[in-house]
């Protein structure tokens, strides 16, 4: 049974249609990478899947009792709210200290328990968000541009970590990426979004594109792959995305 | 014991501090200061209506505060330019209430009691309302604490955890209206916002967790109430504003101490 399935979904933000007639689904245990240019509705798609936005049309079906782990792109915590990392992890369900520590260790943030959230760097904050998402033992982990601000080795390390988490928890992963052409090689499926689903399919591995392997080197240990977009339609000018640097 | 007006006044102040502390923390964390003001100021209109219709003042203020809080909540969900809209509503509601109350015979004489509170005239029945309302607000806060906190940190994280942030917002709305209705006798509509915000702000530099901040704010609110009452007796000053003066002084000391600490 599918974890989540959206059919004919149309979503508007402040009266502007951002997603039109989108079909999207996630099967248990698969890793789906969503790519698309800025403003293509990637974050909107995730926020609709978690229930924060209501589609104007279409339907979303969830597996009963689906457990979601959501890592937002950014989070602004008001300076007047005192919150340590440990306390943040206990929201909304209170958890034992040992459990919090285990989740932080798993996310690579083991030393941060007593630190105020306001003092964390961007990368540390991201790891804490990941730790919190893992605490709920999710069936489906949704990550919104988790590698933003990371360099390529950093992205590669993060992707390997996600692979390990999937292997251990058996959860499905939906990841939004700001990179159009370089995606996580462990992706079972890449969905290219631009207000609608443009194309989707398996990523090609770096190994098959020697010229790009030269470009990206081997320092990623195979964590990065190229994605060949197979569009069968043309775009209007206002949301065309640059095809000139595709691998063809 | 309740025969002594001073004991009743002290208990009324403590009852308000109890309700205002946790709620005031959320007002601060969620940047709802104007929201509180708009709701409180609208209460004067509720006073006018209650007096005109010979209803209990508590019922009138609660009803109008609730309506105002719902209106503001709806507007904020639609994403209007909140700062301006709330400013208009807060001051507009106060002005309309002040005009309306002049049409009620006799109420003009009591006006300052509703604007600045009249804690020394608290009756045992008032005390029952204040403590009943205060305990109800505290119980609501304790019951929804984890969900409210999650929603405050991020509505999206709340949705993903299966919570409904709109529901939690409505709970805060109801708590705010209840607090306004119980506070009107103690500090009056003009200074309710102060009793919500100042103890919470003074508690912030000495708190590492939200729970500690709420407890510390309750303690600061209680000290402000009792010390303000004492000050009112010594210097023959109005009790409500005196309480707020003490709270503001504690905030100043707290801010200075936190600045010195670096």
């Amino acid at each position: 049974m599918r974890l989540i399935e959206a059919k004919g979904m149309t979503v508007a933000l402040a009266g502007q249609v951002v997603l039109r007639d989108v079909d999207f689904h996630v099967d248990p245990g698969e890793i789906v990478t969503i790519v698309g240019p800025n403003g293509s509705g990637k974050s909107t798609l995730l926020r609709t899947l978690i229930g924060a936005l209501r589609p104007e049309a279409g339907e979303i079906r969830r597996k009963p009792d689906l457990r979601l782990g959501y890592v937002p792109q950014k989070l602004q915590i008001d300076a007047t709210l005192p919150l340590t990392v440990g306390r943040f992890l206990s929201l909304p369900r209170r958890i034992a200290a040992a459990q919090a520590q285990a989740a932080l260790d798993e996310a690579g943030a083991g030393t941060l328990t007593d630190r105020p959230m306001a003092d964390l760097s961007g990368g540390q904050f991201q790891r804490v968000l990941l730790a919190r998402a893992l605490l709920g033992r999710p069936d489906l982990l949704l990550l919104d541009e988790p590698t933003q601000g990371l360099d390529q080795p950093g992205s590669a390390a993060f992707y390997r970590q996600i692979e390990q988490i999937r292997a251990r928890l058996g959860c499905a992963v939906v990841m939004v990426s700001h990179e159009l052409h370089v995606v996580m090689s462990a992706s079972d499926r890449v969905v290219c979004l631009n207000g609608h689903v443009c194309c989707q399919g398996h990523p090609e591995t770096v190994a098959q594109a020697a010229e790009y392997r030269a470009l990206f080197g081997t320092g990623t240990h195979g964590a990065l792959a190229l994605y060949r977009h197979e569009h069968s339609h043309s775009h209007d000018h206002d949301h065309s995305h640059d095809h000139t640097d595709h691998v063809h | 014991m309740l025969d002594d007006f001073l004991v009743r006044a002290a208990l009324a102040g403590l009852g308000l501090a109890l309700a205002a502390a946790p709620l005031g923390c959320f007002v601060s964390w969620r940047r709802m200061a104007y929201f509180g003001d708009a709701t409180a100021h609208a209460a004067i209109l509720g006073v006018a209506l209650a007096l005109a219709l010979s209803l209990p003042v508590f019922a009138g203020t609660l009803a109008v505060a609730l309506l105002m809080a719902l209106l503001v909540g709806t507007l904020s969900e639609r994403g209007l330019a909140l700062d301006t809209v709330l400013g208009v509503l807060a001051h507009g509601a106060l002005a309309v209430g002040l005009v309306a109350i002049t049409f009620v015979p006799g109420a003009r004489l009591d006006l300052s009691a509703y604007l600045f509170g009249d804690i020394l005239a608290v009756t045992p029945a008032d005390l029952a309302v204040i403590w009943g309302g205060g305990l109800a607000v505290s119980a609501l806060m304790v019951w929804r604490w984890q969900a409210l906190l999650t929603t405050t940190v991020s509505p999206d994280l709340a949705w993903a955890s299966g919570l409904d942030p709109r529901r939690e917002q409505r709970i805060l709305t109801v708590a705010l209206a209840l607090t306004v209705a119980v506070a009107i006798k103690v500090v009056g509509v003009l200074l309710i916002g102060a009793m919500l915000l100042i103890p919470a702000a003074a508690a912030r530099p000495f708190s590492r967790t939200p729970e500690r901040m709420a407890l510390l704010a309750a303690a600061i609110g209680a000290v402000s109430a009792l010390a303000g009452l004492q000050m009112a007796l010594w210097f023959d000053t109005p009790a409500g504003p005196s309480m707020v003066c003490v709270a503001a002084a504690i905030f100043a000391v707290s801010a200075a101490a936190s600045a010195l600490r670096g």
Side-chain angles (χ1 to χ4, degrees), chain A residues 47 50-52 54 68 70 72 75-84 87-88 90-94 114-116 129 132, chain B residues 25 28-31 145-147 149-150 152-161 163-164 166 204 207-211 213:
Chain A
R47 295 185 64 220
I50 63 169
R54 232 139 276 254
L68 296 176
Y70 174 59
L75 197 73
Q76 201 66 48
I77 297 179
D78 197 273
T80 62
L81 174 57
L83 206 60
T84 59
R87 184 65 189 88
F88 174 72
S90 267
L91 289 175
R93 274 165 289 278
R94 291 197 181 269
D114 292 321
R115 294 268 296 278
L129 285 174
R132 183 187 167 279
Chain B
C25 287
S28 160
W29 298 333
R30 296 169 71 99
R31 308 201 163 199
W145 186 256
Q146 287 284 92
L149 214 47
T150 308
T152 300
V153 169
S154 160
D156 280 357
L157 287 186
W159 282 115
S161 299
L163 298 167
D164 185 343
R166 295 168 307 178
R204 172 63 184 96
S207 309
R208 278 177 64 81
T209 63
E211 291 74 23
M213 181 162 155

Side-chain angles (χ1 to χ4, degrees), chain A residues 33 40 46 52 77 88 94 106 129 157 183 190 199 202 215 218 234:
Chain A
T33 296
S40 58
L46 283 204
I77 297 179
F88 174 72
R94 291 197 181 269
E106 190 157 34
L129 285 174
V183 300
V190 176
C199 64
H202 289 281
L215 190 58
T218 50
S234 63

Side-chain angles (χ1 to χ4, degrees), chain A residues 100-158:
Chain A
Q101 191 57 52
L104 284 174
D105 288 339
E106 190 157 34
T111 59
L112 300 176
T113 317
D114 292 321
R115 294 268 296 278
M117 292 294 284
D119 292 357
L120 302 182
S121 72
Q124 290 171 330
F125 204 104
Q126 208 67 28
R127 287 174 185 284
V128 171
L129 285 174
L130 179 62
R132 183 187 167 279
L134 295 177
L135 272 171
R137 294 283 129 185
D139 306 308
L140 176 56
L141 189 58
L142 302 127
L143 309 159
D144 198 349
E145 301 210 11
T147 59
Q148 203 183 35
L150 296 180
D151 55 13
Q152 208 166 69
S155 300
F158 182 82

Side-chain angles (χ1 to χ4, degrees), chain B residues 39 42-68 114 125-126 129-130 133 174 177-185:
Chain B
T39 307
I44 199 77
L45 185 61
V47 172
L49 287 175
L51 293 176
L53 300 172
S54 303
L55 290 169
V57 169
F58 176 77
T61 50
L62 182 62
V64 174
L66 208 50
L67 279 178
M68 187 59 154
Y114 297 115
D126 290 333
V129 167
I130 290 169
V174 170
L178 255 177
T179 305
V180 165
V182 306
I184 196 163
K185 191 87 187 178

